[in-house]
Amino acid sequence: MSKFATWLTAIGAFFSPSWEIREEQEGAESSFCIYRRLFGRVTFVERWATLRTAGARLAELRGKVPAGKSVPADRIARAMAADVSEESATSPGARAYRGNRAREVLENESYAWAFNSLKTEIIESWQNAPAQDPQGRETLWLSLKLLDKIQFNLQTRLEMGKLAQLELEHRAKLTKEEAAWLS
């Protein structure tokens, strides 16, 4: 049974994004770059001139005060003033962002392969488990339900993100119409 727990832990770490800010030198100028690690890859996201703006943007991306590897967390915290507002987790922009991240996961070939192979392995183990091991069968059943819940959660975030994007587009349209009406 520990094999499945290990698999679930590895899958969770593989699909959970992590962020960091790195200070990079370009000649005499230094800049602060945001990188994202997801699916075992490190991807450049954005470049900022100051640590404060990079930290503020990272707070928006992560939804909390960031901690980087190359730039110490206390330095980022000092650079970010108290007046930097974080985007609310319930704002349409945040929901649209999370929906896009869920779409990336659901459309990823590696995720589909890992999900399907793990689900198949759990079902086969459950079918082949001896009747004298009700606790083992129960653990396999719970693992299968947890896997389905992960998929459902991602699908729900995707749908909520689509609705939030529609809300943002509708608000932009209303703002544009209001400005045209007032002028």
Side-chain angles (χ1 to χ4, degrees), residues 4 19 33 56 58 67 74 78 88 96 103 109 112 128 130 134 140 147 153 155 157 170:
F4 293 108
W19 303 85
C33 300
L58 189 57
D74 60 330
R78 284 193 312 269
S88 168
R103 180 184 45 77
E109 297 171 359
N128 297 329
L140 289 167
L147 199 58
N153 187 300
Q155 194 65 39
R157 283 189 182 257
H170 180 70

Side-chain angles (χ1 to χ4, degrees), residues 20-34:
E20 70 180 65
I21 295 177
R22 296 181 188 169
E23 185 173 11
E24 296 183 357
Q25 295 287 93
E26 293 177 348
E29 302 258 343
S30 69
S31 60
F32 298 89
C33 300
I34 299 174

Side-chain angles (χ1 to χ4, degrees), residues 1 4-6 22 38 54-55 58-59 69 77 83 91 94 100 114 118 124 128 135 144 146 153-154 174 176:
M1 292 301 124
F4 293 108
T6 304
R22 296 181 188 169
L38 182 64
L58 189 57
K69 292 182 183 175
D83 63 345
S91 73
N100 286 333
L118 184 57
E124 288 174 358
N128 297 329
Q135 187 177 16
L144 186 61
L146 178 62
N153 187 300
L154 286 169
L174 289 177
K176 185 177 178 181

Side-chain angles (χ1 to χ4, degrees), residues 110-177:
S110 296
Y111 171 78
W113 174 84
F115 180 86
N116 291 330
S117 63
L118 184 57
K119 187 172 186 174
T120 301
E121 186 174 334
I122 291 171
I123 290 171
E124 288 174 358
S125 296
W126 183 45
Q127 290 172 340
N128 297 329
Q132 300 85 358
D133 186 16
Q135 187 177 16
R137 292 170 67 90
E138 179 71 18
T139 302
L140 289 167
W141 174 255
L142 292 173
S143 297
L144 186 61
K145 289 299 163 189
L146 178 62
L147 199 58
D148 288 339
K149 191 169 186 171
I150 291 170
Q151 185 77 3
F152 178 76
N153 187 300
L154 286 169
Q155 194 65 39
T156 300
R157 283 189 182 257
L158 173 65
E159 297 302 322
M160 289 180 70
K162 288 179 182 177
L163 290 172
Q165 187 62 41
L166 289 173
E167 182 180 346
L168 288 171
E169 290 169 4
H170 180 70
R171 286 182 181 180
K173 180 181 173 187
L174 289 177
T175 303
K176 185 177 178 181
E177 289 174 356

